[in-house]
Amino acid sequence: MAKKKRAIELSDKNIEYDTEEGRVKVIRFNPNNQSVDVNLYVKEEKVKSVSIAFAHLPKPIKKLVRPL
């Protein structure tokens, strides 16, 4: 049985980027299913927390997260 890896906490690195919907802040990376937990902010107000696929992140953000 495969060993489960722990989620990597990224909230202290303040990784953020802008989208059409608002500002997205990366919270943690889960290497088991290659997903990233993010918070969506609109006008400095938190709207929702979602989990997105790592592949859907912009390329410069992927370089900052570097899941190895």
Side-chain angles (χ1 to χ4, degrees):
M1 188 166 177
K3 186 176 181 181
K4 290 195 174 192
K5 298 178 185 176
R6 290 183 163 211
I8 300 168
E9 194 67 31
L10 299 169
S11 59
D12 56 341
K13 292 187 178 183
N14 295 327
I15 301 172
E16 299 178 343
Y17 64 96
D18 292 322
T19 63
E20 294 173 355
E21 295 145 2
R23 180 169 281 293
V24 176
K25 182 174 182 182
V26 179
I27 303 300
R28 74 184 56 84
F29 172 71
N30 188 348
N32 294 322
N33 56 4
Q34 293 290 307
S35 67
V36 179
D37 295 332
V38 298
N39 289 338
L40 177 63
Y41 293 91
V42 176
K43 297 182 182 177
E44 304 301 322
E45 186 176 323
K46 182 179 171 182
V47 177
K48 61 183 175 179
S49 296
V50 294
S51 181
I52 61 172
F54 179 76
H56 293 185
L57 291 175
K59 197 167 194 170
I61 302 301
K62 287 181 188 177
K63 288 181 182 179
L64 294 174
V65 174
R66 277 190 246 178
L68 296 176

